[in-house]
Amino acid sequence: MTRVWVVRSRYGRYTDDFVRGGYVAAGWLPRHDLTECDSKEAIVLLYRRANPHQTPRQVGAHAGQIAAFALGIGTGDYVITPRSDTEWLAHGRVRGGSMYYAPRADDGCPFPHRWRVEWAADPLRRWDLSIPFQNTLKAHMSVFRVSHAEEFLLSIAANPPEPRPPDFYRPVLGRILELDTGELQDLVGALLEVLGFEETGEDPSACGGGAGVACVIGELGVANLASVRLLVQIRRDGDGGEVEESVTGTFAEPSPPAARVR
């Protein structure tokens, strides 16, 4: 499987050095040779010793990015590095074996941990990528793997086929499946309010109760003559992780017409 990584260089400060030197680099733990670390646990221990005042959360976050660079990237992977002007993205392919340690390199870049990269002659324009891909590039991490590998490969192909439209359905559905029952109720209630329903609220008893059942009721006024009472029930399938939705509606007694003013 072809993997694509983003490696930042302090807002593009060292991108030109990367391209000229034929490498991509990281600057964490500059006094330690990370080629000697063969596991994430070893990197966590090394980083904790070098930064004893950081919280466990900080240690885990930084050590995770170091491990991604030192242990995750491999020969044949692609690397994207934003340039300082933010519009253009340098990109290339990792070549030549494993990561190496260059603490005394005199090429303008102080980062000692490096992978050899064959950089493409023409950079990518950020704005030519899909909006989801552009949003991914905004992640606040120095090293991370890109999930839009197929789009990237199509973008750098000599004669790329017509790209498929981004699949927005699956990411949204995946996020919804992560919500608990209370969050599902809040989401459905907010959607009903956007559609013009009033007096929305949760009533689990109306759906028979039970674990994993979200039940929301809303009323919609119709031309000040009647109101529609809508019951939305969402039940989560515990085995397959699917969400099953059922909607029922009832008409309430007509409201008296508004008085006319002559």
Side-chain angles (χ1 to χ4, degrees), residues 84-134:
S84 57
D85 58 12
T86 72
E87 180 181 359
W88 297 97
L89 304 168
H91 63 94
R93 198 164 194 183
V94 178
R95 302 292 190 188
S98 59
M99 185 185 71
Y100 63 99
Y101 183 54
R104 290 177 292 276
D106 185 18
D107 53 12
C109 177
F111 299 165
H113 311 296
R114 304 183 175 190
W115 288 92
R116 293 179 178 84
V117 174
E118 181 180 337
W119 295 100
D122 299 321
L124 285 175
R125 190 190 300 269
R126 183 190 297 263
W127 321 127
D128 291 337
L129 301 170
S130 69
I131 297 299
F133 201 153
Q134 293 183 45

Side-chain angles (χ1 to χ4, degrees), residues 117-211:
V117 174
E118 181 180 337
W119 295 100
D122 299 321
L124 285 175
R125 190 190 300 269
R126 183 190 297 263
W127 321 127
D128 291 337
L129 301 170
S130 69
I131 297 299
F133 201 153
Q134 293 183 45
N135 290 337
T136 297
L137 296 175
K138 297 177 183 178
H140 297 290
M141 292 185 289
S142 296
V143 179
F144 58 93
R145 185 175 173 182
V146 175
S147 59
H148 305 275
E150 181 179 0
E151 180 182 347
F152 170 78
L153 294 175
L154 290 173
S155 299
I156 66 174
N159 297 297
E162 187 69 21
R164 295 182 299 180
D167 184 2
F168 297 105
Y169 173 78
R170 291 188 179 278
V172 172
L173 178 59
R175 181 67 185 92
I176 291 175
L177 289 173
E178 295 175 0
L179 302 178
D180 59 28
T181 303
E183 292 171 329
L184 280 173
Q185 291 180 157
D186 291 341
L187 174 62
V188 174
L191 291 175
L192 290 180
E193 290 180 0
V194 170
L195 294 174
F197 282 81
E198 300 177 351
E199 300 181 11
T200 61
E202 299 92 19
D203 187 0
S205 62
C207 299

Side-chain angles (χ1 to χ4, degrees), residues 58-72:
Q58 291 173 317
V59 171
H62 287 98
Q65 293 183 72
I66 298 171
F69 185 87
L71 305 175

